[in-house]
Amino acid sequence: MVRDEEAPVAAPPAAGLSVAEAAARLERYGPNIVSTARPTPLWHRIGTQLRDPLILVLLVAIALTIATGDYLDTSIISFVVVVNTAVGVTQEVRAERAVLALRELSAPGARVVRGGEERHVPSSEVVPGDLVLLGEGDIVPADGELLEEAALLVDESSLTGEAEPVGKPLPADGEQRPVVSAGTVVVRGRARFVVTATGADSATGRIAALMTTKPAATPLQRRLAAFGRVLAAVAVVLCLVVLVIGLLRGQDPELMAVTAISLVVAAVPESLPAVVTLGLALGARRMAERNAIVRRLPAVETLGSVTVIATDKTGTLTEGRMSAQRLWTRHGTAAVSGTGYAPEGRVEREDTELRPDTAPDVTELLTAAVLCNDAALQAPDATDGEDGRSGEARSSAQGDEADWHALGDPTEAALLTAGARLGLDREALAREWPRTEEVPFTSDRARMTTVHRRPGGGLRVVCKGAPEVVLVPEVLADGAGTLAEAAEAAGQLAGEGYRVLAVAVADRAEPPEDGGDWESGLNLLGLIGILDPPREAAAETVAACRRAGIIPVLITGDHPLTAGVVARRLGVVEAADAAEEVTTGDRIRDGSAGDLTRPRVFARTSPEQKLDIVQAWRGAGHVVAMTGDGVNDGPALHRADIGVAMGRRGTEVARQAADLVLADDDLGTVVAAVEEGRRVYANVRRFLLYGLAGGAAEILVMLFGPFLGMPLPLLPAQILWINLLTHGLPGVALGAEPVAPDTMRQPPRPPEESVLGAGLWPRILAMGLVIAGASLGVGIWAHETGRPWQTMVFLVLGATQLGVGLASRARPGTFTNPFLLVGIAAALALQIAGVYLPPLQKLLGTEALSAGDLLIGCALSAVGYAAMRLQVRLSARAGRSAGEEVPEVTGDPETPGVPEDRERAAGR
């Protein structure tokens, strides 16, 4: 991770470093990583756990029991401290490992040339001397000197603070070449450079060395931490009441002090922070297994509240495998047949196959499309792993290794495929018509122009782009009749769902004076209709959004007619309302679009206009997930509540700006991530219900037991034992519950809703009363009949809580989440062992029960199970009667499938 003093500053061989040399340099200089955080030592983790307020209370209890000589209670309290600390450290380590694995999945990549082959490698493997390729949207992986560039603009604001991108023109021979710095962003053009510094010695590394950062807690973690402090204060007050009652009834002060301390610890689910952290981290890992890579942990909880998904079309709702199928020239139309990107296929006109020498108009059109092109086609037997530059990733539907692959923009790859099916040789054309200059494509210009040296001398200018920006007098020299005819043909193709490109050329004897405009005075060659078929599951994905109360919004750069056709096919808009629900970037620009939460389809939009759309929806009280793939999508991804980047075709800038990266570029993956976010939140609430109901029951038993003839219903060791068993394995296992069957038929929860909202508090109190009632009831019966009543209370209190845990499952009656079943069974076995095993009898102060009494005690655990299942059913019925289960979302943006009472609760 140092500057390579031996790195060549002269142009390296075109083949770059060899693979062996790159590996040797990686070993010598280390990975290209700015800084690596030191692992937290074990003693520090243990110290953090022991500083928890509830653990500190237990440590005070240990000191108190040692001072009074009560070594039995000392041992049981110490055991509880050791187990809680061990569980907390283990969960912390698991969570950190899960987050680290996610960081590795979302690590940036770079394109390098090694051994004469273009390769895509993690940025951490870039070494001094590497030959690196840059394209629009790439993040520069290391410091280096430019060898070649084409219209390169670099955003260096992260280093210099300058807002304007900087050009990097190459100087005359012998002068110092311009440099690029690690962490800067390519906003336009392309380049090659040789790496001179990596890691800590790069520009970014030198700045990062001055800064240290700590991972921040998520909003849910902060809310639960604050709630935990309030709950602990309430529990302390109630336990002081228990202490006073015991002292007034003549109980031993030391015993009552330890009892009150133990009750405080048992009443508060001290494992809640660890359960939440682990739940979020493991939820993020499960999302990664479903191709949704979470880059920021708070996104896991936010996903559960998403009400609007604003999605791109290409590659997200469609396969992303473009196919040029229709050709139009002034001499007629032609059709292109074939599958995928394979060159096998035909170009036909009136059922006659065309070849380069039989159709000059088509040949000239496709020749121009092949020349004005930066993509490449990769044969099935080509070396795997050459993914191309960031933002030029393969189609999401390219199939297995037997398929041809697109390296570069899928639209340009479709043009190469069409040319190959006509019989054009791309390499031969590149040699015959070498490129000399280019004006790169940008989203604002919506066109690309290249300049080539003609075989006989002079230059040929080739321009391709959207019909709206090419079929204009400022670009074309053709007459008004030709422009009108072409515009009509483009409209017909767009109305059939095709993406349309216009292609024009002009021959020039020499470049324009003073670097003038290449893009004027051109002659139209024709139009190319490109089809991107919808994904097979896209319509069902859109329907799933509607069922979940989520509004799908389509944002695309395509023609309005094309966008409308796709939106109708997929159900984004209803056929009858399609015209009203489609607007354009021009209408947004001139202010005639009106309320931006009304349309469901936005066509011909620029990345900057996504900001307006996102802000409009957020201003209406919605939680927005926005997809993006371009270098200019970064602001919109930041502004959205959930920024979603494309993992295959997205630029590196978009991926690093996003909260979520789709490894498969499929909108269905966003819906799956929303489902996972809802699952995590539901499991946190499930644990709260289970843990707080048990704590409330323990306090109620200790409060009311003395008034019912039980002077001290539970001993301190018994309280801590129950707490250890119920909050241990079963509590952690509840965080791994699967998604409930009706999760995606419920409306999104309001993001400002308390984690204890939506009726959870009354449910906690009700379950606490049930558990306490069963425990006190059996205690009264045992006391009246001369049985060991304290042991009966101990057994029933623990067993009934475990019954509640078993009934809290998302899918009862199945074997999903077997860890919970095993945890509850083990906890029940240990609870019974506390009654019969002599060492535990001595430790806990219990007595052996008769078989009948044991059967009665265990049977009462069914009370907890039955009460919990009844409560779940009543809660579900109340939700349905209040309209909680949403129908498919229709057109009203003010009520996105969310019932009116939920809207009022959300403050919308």
Side-chain angles (χ1 to χ4, degrees), residues 291-377:
N291 292 318
I293 301 169
V294 176
R295 299 195 67 256
R296 297 177 180 85
L297 208 55
V300 177
E301 59 188 84
T302 307
L303 277 164
S305 298
V306 167
T307 59
V308 175
I309 295 180
T311 177
D312 193 5
K313 176 181 72 69
T314 303
T316 310
L317 290 172
T318 62
E319 291 182 357
R321 179 161 53 183
M322 302 291 187
S323 176
Q325 297 184 358
R326 299 279 294 277
L327 308 176
W328 178 92
T329 72
R330 282 170 289 181
H331 301 286
T333 60
V336 184
S337 62
T339 303
Y341 294 112
E344 291 80 13
R346 295 160 56 95
V347 180
E348 297 178 326
R349 175 179 282 166
E350 297 178 353
D351 297 327
T352 300
E353 183 176 2
L354 304 181
R355 303 306 298 170
D357 56 348
T358 61
D361 59 327
V362 173
T363 301
E364 193 172 13
L365 172 63
L366 291 181
T367 296
V370 170
L371 289 174
C372 187
N373 202 307
D374 286 330
L377 298 177

Side-chain angles (χ1 to χ4, degrees), residues 13-38:
L17 300 176
S18 68
V19 175
E21 176 62 20
R25 294 193 181 204
L26 184 63
E27 180 70 23
R28 187 191 319 165
Y29 299 113
N32 180 31
I33 299 174
V34 170
S35 62
T36 304
R38 294 181 179 179

Side-chain angles (χ1 to χ4, degrees), residues 741-819:
D742 64 343
T743 295
M744 294 303 285
R745 292 195 297 272
Q746 303 296 324
R749 63 175 176 83
E752 62 272 26
E753 179 184 270
S754 166
V755 71
L756 293 173
L760 191 62
W761 258 125
R763 294 181 62 190
I764 290 171
L765 295 177
M767 290 310 305
L769 287 172
V770 169
I771 297 170
S775 303
L776 291 172
V778 77
I780 294 171
W781 172 76
H783 187 273
E784 294 297 326
T785 56
R787 289 173 167 80
W789 59 267
Q790 193 176 62
T791 301
M792 291 288 287
V793 171
F794 165 74
L795 176 65
V796 172
L797 184 59
T800 309
Q801 287 188 53
L802 294 175
V804 170
L806 185 63
S808 299
R809 302 179 68 208
R811 297 174 182 265
T814 68
F815 289 98
T816 56
N817 193 15
F819 183 46

Side-chain angles (χ1 to χ4, degrees), residues 401-467:
E401 294 302 312
D403 288 338
W404 281 70
H405 292 155
L407 291 179
D409 184 78
T411 301
E412 293 193 326
L415 302 179
L416 294 182
T417 303
R421 290 171 181 169
L422 181 65
L424 300 178
D425 185 334
R426 195 268 178 88
E427 294 184 359
L429 288 174
R431 290 192 299 268
E432 186 179 0
W433 301 79
R435 184 185 299 186
T436 61
E437 293 191 48
E438 66 182 81
V439 184
F441 173 89
T442 67
S443 56
D444 293 330
R445 289 168 16 85
R447 62 179 179 250
M448 171 185 178
T449 299
T450 55
V451 182
H452 305 265
R453 187 178 299 112
R454 298 176 60 194
L459 303 170
R460 169 159 290 190
V461 182
V462 183
C463 175
K464 75 174 191 298

Side-chain angles (χ1 to χ4, degrees), residues 824-871:
I824 289 176
L828 182 61
L830 288 172
Q831 184 77 356
I832 295 173
V835 175
Y836 290 101
L837 293 183
L840 291 179
Q841 285 181 333
K842 184 177 181 181
L843 200 64
L844 300 174
T846 58
E847 303 175 47
L849 299 176
S850 66
D853 290 345
L854 175 64
L855 186 61
I856 291 172
C858 291
L860 283 174
S861 65
V863 173
Y865 182 90
M868 186 64 195
R869 292 312 307 163
L870 177 63
Q871 189 186 81

